[in-house]
Amino acid sequence: MTDATSRRSGCEDDASLAPVNREEQDEPDQAQEEQAQEEQAQEEQEESGVADDAHEDDRDGEEEEEARHQRSARDPGQPSREEREEHERTHIPFRPWCEACVKGKSKRKPSTRIAGDYAHSDCCRLRMDYAYLTEDVEATEGDHGEEESAKAESTLTVLVVQESQHRSVWAYAVEAKGASEDWPPLQILEDMETIGVRGEKLVLKSDQEPAIVDLAREIAKMRESAYGTAVEQSAVGESDSNASVERAIQDVEGQVRTLRAGLEAKIRQRIRLTNPVVPWMVRHAAALITRCRVRPSGRTSLEMMRGRRTNSQITEFGEHILFKIPKTKLNPGKFEDQWTSGVDLGFDMRSMETLVGTASGVFKCTDFRRKPLQERWSADMVNLIQGSPKQPVPGQVYRRTPAFSKRFSRPSTETEDRRPVAQPTPQQPETRNFSVF
C-alpha cells in the first residue's frame, strides 16, 4: 500500500469517527417520514373506497341473485347391483329407479292440497269450468260430461264459477260454450260487482279447453280495471289442479238433482230437462250454496260478501205464492188488485228480492205471501212459466230481471175478465085501464 492510499484511508476513518450533527440528520428523515405517512394514508383511503365500492357491488349482486326456494322433484336413488338383480326377477314391488316399473306401473303425480305460504294469494281468483246435465243416457264408460252428452237424449250445458275470496258459487245455464253468447260474460261482470272485486286485480283460472279459454279472454277484454286481469290455465289432463271448481260442480249438480226431486214430489209431475224452470233451478242451486253453506271462517259466503247476515225470507223452490205488485209508473188503480200470483224461482243475490215466474216472464218483488198448504203447488203454474236467465221477459231487449208492473199482465186474464157486463134494458111499464064503481 502506498502512502497516498494510506492517507485517504486514514481520512475516511477519521471522518467516520468524527461526531455527527443529529439535527441535520433528523430533518430529511422526518420529512421522508411525513411524506411516507401521507402516501400511506392516501393509499389506505383509496383502498377503503375501493373496498366500499366492491362491498356495495357485492351487495347489489346479492340482491339481484336473491331467489325463492323451489320445490325439487324427488331423487329415485341408485340401487346396488345386487338390489337391481333381485328386483328385476319379479319387478315387485314398484321401484322408482326401475325404468320398466315407471313405464308400466307408475301413476301420475297426485294433486297436493295447497297450504301455508303456497296458498297465500294477493288477488281474487275466479275458477271456471263447464258441467253437463243429462237425462235418458245410454250406457257409457264415463261418469259424466261430454262422454255422456253424446249419447243422451237431452243435455244442458252449465257454466260453474267459484271465486276464492269468499268461496261463493255461481252457475249459468248456457246454450253454447265459449264466447259465442254475449250474456254470460256480462252476467259474470255484474256478479263480480256483487262480490266486490270488479275494480281489483283478478286471476281467471280454467283448463285449456278452447271454449273456456275464449270465454276467459272475453271477460278479460270486457273488464275495466286499472290492475288488469290475468289468465291462468291448468295443465293438460290435470283437472284435479283446478279441484275447487270441480268440487263446486259436484255440489251444484247434487243441489239441482235435490231441487228437481223435491219439486216433482210436490207437483206430482216429472220435470224434464227442457222445462223452462230448469235454468232457474240451476241458478238457484248455486245461490243456495252461497247463501246457506257455512265456511271454515264460521260465516257463509253471502255473509262475507255483504259483511253481515241477511234477514230476508225464503220459500221452497217452485212454490205457488202471492206477491205484491211493486210501485212503478204503471201502478194498479185503487179499485184493482194490488197482489197477484206466481211461482217462486229463487232470489236476487244483490238486492235479495224474490224472483217470481209467471206466464208473462220472470220478475222481482219484495213482498210475498204464502198460500194455504193445499194451494201451494200447481203443475200448471210451473209449466206456464216463461223467460230464462238470459232473457227474463220474452221479447224484451234488456237482460236484467225487471219489476212486475201492470203492462206485463196477460190480456186474457186481465182485460177479458174485467170488461163491463151488459145490463138488461128496463122494460116499459104496462098500462092498464080500470073503472071504479
Side-chain angles (χ1 to χ4, degrees):
M1 181 179 296
T2 60
D3 296 338
T5 305
S6 298
R7 284 194 297 271
R8 285 197 301 270
S9 176
C11 293
E12 291 176 359
D13 294 339
D14 294 340
S16 60
L17 295 173
V20 179
N21 190 348
R22 293 294 180 184
E23 296 179 359
E24 295 179 358
Q25 186 177 2
D26 291 344
E27 288 180 0
D29 293 343
Q30 186 175 2
Q32 291 177 1
E33 234 177 90
E34 292 177 356
Q35 185 177 359
Q37 290 178 357
E38 291 179 0
E39 291 178 356
Q40 184 177 359
Q42 187 175 359
E43 289 177 359
E44 290 179 355
Q45 186 176 1
E46 291 177 356
E47 290 178 359
S48 177
V50 172
D52 292 341
D53 294 340
H55 181 65
E56 188 171 348
D57 292 341
D58 293 341
R59 188 166 58 250
D60 293 342
E62 289 177 1
E63 291 180 357
E64 293 176 359
E65 294 297 330
E66 183 179 357
R68 182 73 63 190
H69 173 72
Q70 301 296 316
R71 299 176 61 190
S72 176
R74 182 180 179 182
D75 183 5
Q78 182 64 33
S80 65
R81 181 178 178 180
E82 292 77 9
E83 290 176 343
R84 182 177 292 277
E85 291 179 354
E86 176 69 23
H87 172 74
E88 288 178 350
R89 294 192 188 101
T90 60
H91 289 283
I92 295 177
F94 170 84
R95 289 290 180 260
W97 43 259
C98 176
E99 185 174 350
C101 284
V102 172
K103 290 181 177 180
K105 297 187 289 185
S106 181
K107 299 180 180 180
R108 67 177 183 86
K109 180 182 64 175
S111 298
T112 57
R113 181 179 180 183
I114 300 177
D117 294 338
Y118 296 98
H120 176 72
S121 179
D122 295 330
C123 57
C124 180
R125 314 178 83 82
L126 212 66
R127 308 177 180 98
M128 305 182 298
D129 203 356
Y130 286 109
Y132 306 92
L133 299 178
T134 58
E135 65 179 358
D136 298 332
V137 182
E138 298 180 2
T140 58
E141 296 180 359
D143 296 332
H144 66 279
E146 291 183 334
E147 294 179 344
E148 283 188 358
S149 63
K151 298 183 180 181
E153 180 178 341
S154 301
T155 304
L156 180 65
T157 303
V158 178
L159 173 64
V160 179
V161 177
Q162 191 257 357
E163 54 90 15
S164 62
Q165 186 168 341
H166 309 298
R167 300 183 66 180
S168 61
V169 181
W170 310 76
Y172 315 91
V174 296
E175 297 178 359
K177 298 193 298 183
S180 57
E181 290 188 272
D182 296 335
W183 79 273
L186 294 173
Q187 186 63 49
I188 292 176
L189 290 177
E190 184 175 329
D191 292 337
M192 282 193 293
E193 284 186 350
T194 305
I195 297 171
V197 295
R198 182 178 178 88
E200 299 181 5
K201 182 179 179 181
L202 190 68
V203 177
L204 302 176
K205 184 173 182 180
S206 65
D207 54 23
Q208 297 189 34
E209 183 183 0
I212 197 73
V213 172
D214 291 342
L215 178 63
R217 290 175 178 172
E218 184 66 20
I219 295 174
K221 186 189 304 181
M222 297 171 60
R223 190 165 181 261
E224 299 175 0
S225 174
Y227 299 96
T229 304
V231 178
E232 182 180 338
Q233 298 171 356
S234 57
V236 176
E238 297 290 336
S239 59
D240 289 347
S241 61
N242 205 11
S244 297
V245 72
E246 294 292 337
R247 172 61 188 275
I249 288 176
Q250 296 177 6
D251 293 340
V252 170
E253 290 175 343
Q255 189 68 23
V256 169
R257 290 191 293 267
T258 303
L259 293 176
R260 175 197 53 77
L263 183 58
E264 288 179 345
K266 294 298 177 62
I267 66 175
R268 299 180 181 179
Q269 178 179 311
R270 182 181 179 184
I271 301 296
R272 306 289 299 187
L273 195 57
T274 55
N275 194 297
V277 78
V278 174
W280 297 102
M281 187 182 295
V282 169
R283 182 186 184 278
H284 187 57
L288 286 177
I289 295 173
T290 300
R291 176 170 179 165
C292 303
R293 178 167 294 176
V294 178
R295 300 300 180 179
S297 62
R299 297 186 297 171
T300 66
S301 299
L302 183 62
E303 292 171 358
M304 287 187 283
M305 285 191 300
R306 297 173 63 89
R308 60 179 179 86
R309 300 180 64 176
T310 178
N311 59 354
S312 60
Q313 299 177 346
I314 191 172
T315 60
E316 191 171 350
F317 182 83
E319 184 175 332
H320 190 198
I321 61 174
L322 289 171
F323 67 96
K324 189 176 186 340
I325 301 176
K327 293 182 179 180
T328 60
K329 294 181 179 180
L330 298 175
N331 286 338
K334 293 186 177 181
F335 190 69
E336 297 177 299
D337 293 338
Q338 306 293 314
W339 294 67
T340 187
S341 61
V343 176
D344 188 297
L345 297 180
F347 58 92
D348 183 84
M349 194 77 74
R350 180 176 296 188
S351 63
M352 303 308 295
E353 294 174 290
T354 302
L355 300 178
V356 183
T358 67
S360 302
V362 179
F363 307 95
K364 295 189 296 185
C365 72
T366 304
D367 298 326
F368 68 89
R369 296 288 185 271
R370 303 184 73 179
K371 289 193 171 186
L373 183 60
Q374 63 274 15
E375 302 178 11
R376 289 180 183 175
W377 304 100
S378 171
D380 294 337
M381 291 292 295
V382 172
N383 295 330
L384 288 176
I385 291 176
Q386 297 293 323
S388 65
K390 177 181 179 180
Q391 192 177 40
V393 180
Q396 300 292 328
V397 296
Y398 47 82
R399 173 182 46 84
R400 296 182 178 178
T401 306
F404 185 84
S405 64
K406 185 179 177 181
R407 62 191 176 96
F408 295 115
S409 300
R410 293 179 62 86
S412 59
T413 58
E414 298 290 338
T415 306
E416 294 179 3
D417 294 344
R418 297 177 182 275
R419 287 180 299 178
V421 179
Q423 299 295 325
T425 304
Q427 298 180 358
Q428 294 295 331
E430 181 180 357
T431 305
R432 295 183 178 181
N433 296 326
F434 59 92
S435 300
V436 176
F437 295 98

